[in-house]
Amino acid sequence: MPGNERASSAAGLSVPAALATGEIEVLGALPESSNAALLVRCATPDDSVLAVYKPMRGEAPLWDFPDGTLHRREVAAFELARALGWPRVPPTVLREGPFGPGSVQLFISFDPSEHFFTLEVEHAETFRRVAMFDLAVNNADRKGGHCLLDEQREIWVIDHGVCFAVEPKLRTVIWTFVDEPLPVDAAEDLARVRTELGRGDGVAATLGALLAPDEVDATAVRIDRLLAEGRFPEPEPGVRPFPWPPI
């Protein structure tokens, strides 16, 4: 049910103390990443967690995103998801690591045989919210493989380094819900967050410390547009709507 969906998602978005403050030990590099992505252990005297550390210095330059900002966008995506209560973006913090500042994201143990295309029917309600989130953050790279199934059969979404651009850049495999009405409770969550953005407090202040002012303003505009339409939109004209590769 939609209410349970919201509670279940919100329950997974608290930041473990070890992730936020634990000593970072590099265990190795994660393969098939276009930017540096390192598997690390974050440990305090009381606890330890595995995480993915993406240092700023390992980011490949992109013509359409400012240099050295991708790790901050990863953190901003988590903070917006936490404010909404969905979708499940792994807890992500901005930290000084062994190779300088970067994002540190809780590692999710997942089934590598599963992805959006194998999960979309069973988890349609979750993916409606993922689609709304991607519209709000202007996700330029929602591949099917960025949707993970954990051991409790919960969906997590990762890789948000190319979000929050001002210009329309949405590229996603999730076009299943075009012209459907938005889920009412999820739209209410968006409206609540939009109010915070308008006041300049709460998540607005958090995003303002991670993104450029015009990027925060553009997020508010995208939410306004989505709520005004009340439905899942078609792709923007003149913008390539799908990422490559799709998985």
Side-chain angles (χ1 to χ4, degrees):
M1 299 295 292
N4 292 335
E5 171 83 26
R6 174 160 42 180
S8 174
S9 294
L13 299 180
S14 60
V15 178
L19 186 79
T21 63
E23 183 177 352
I24 298 175
E25 175 192 3
V26 176
L27 302 178
L30 294 175
E32 300 180 9
S33 177
S34 56
N35 297 290
L38 304 173
L39 181 66
V40 300
R41 180 181 290 111
C42 300
T44 65
D46 301 319
D47 193 20
S48 68
V49 296
L50 293 178
V52 178
Y53 166 46
K54 295 183 177 181
M56 178 179 69
R57 64 190 288 186
E59 295 176 3
L62 299 173
W63 70 268
D64 52 350
F65 283 86
D67 290 348
T69 66
L70 304 190
H71 65 296
R72 303 178 74 86
R73 296 169 194 278
E74 294 271 10
V75 180
F78 166 68
E79 292 292 352
L80 185 59
R82 178 158 64 165
L84 287 166
W86 48 263
R88 282 179 174 263
V89 175
T92 312
V93 295
L94 194 64
R95 291 196 57 186
E96 185 74 25
F99 300 106
S103 62
V104 182
Q105 182 174 87
L106 186 69
F107 178 81
I108 302 299
S109 181
F110 66 98
D111 183 344
S113 69
E114 300 277 15
H115 47 74
F116 169 71
F117 297 105
T118 66
L119 298 166
E120 62 176 314
V121 174
E122 180 182 354
H123 296 273
E125 283 303 306
T126 295
F127 285 122
R128 285 184 175 89
R129 286 159 176 76
V130 174
M132 291 173 69
F133 180 76
D134 287 342
L135 285 158
V137 303
N138 196 19
N139 192 345
D141 193 35
R142 173 63 73 209
K143 295 183 173 70
H146 296 167
C147 305
L148 311 181
L149 183 71
D150 74 8
E151 294 167 347
Q152 287 73 47
R153 297 197 64 78
E154 296 280 3
I155 303 295
W156 296 81
V157 288
I158 61 168
D159 283 354
H160 297 102
V162 287
C163 292
F164 296 105
V166 173
E167 302 82 6
K169 290 184 183 295
L170 182 67
R171 290 191 286 272
T172 176
V173 295
I174 308 177
W175 293 107
T176 312
F177 312 113
V178 167
D179 207 36
E180 282 190 15
L182 303 177
V184 173
D185 60 328
E188 291 172 351
D189 290 333
L190 271 180
R192 170 178 49 79
V193 166
R194 175 61 181 91
T195 298
E196 286 187 22
L197 292 174
R199 290 198 307 255
D201 59 5
V203 72
T206 304
L207 294 183
L210 295 163
L211 304 170
D214 60 343
E215 292 172 336
V216 179
D217 292 343
T219 302
V221 169
R222 289 190 296 269
I223 292 174
D224 282 341
R225 183 188 309 151
L226 185 57
L227 291 174
E229 292 175 353
R231 313 184 78 81
F232 289 96
E234 296 181 353
E236 290 269 1
V239 176
R240 175 167 63 89
F242 299 104
W244 188 260
I247 296 178

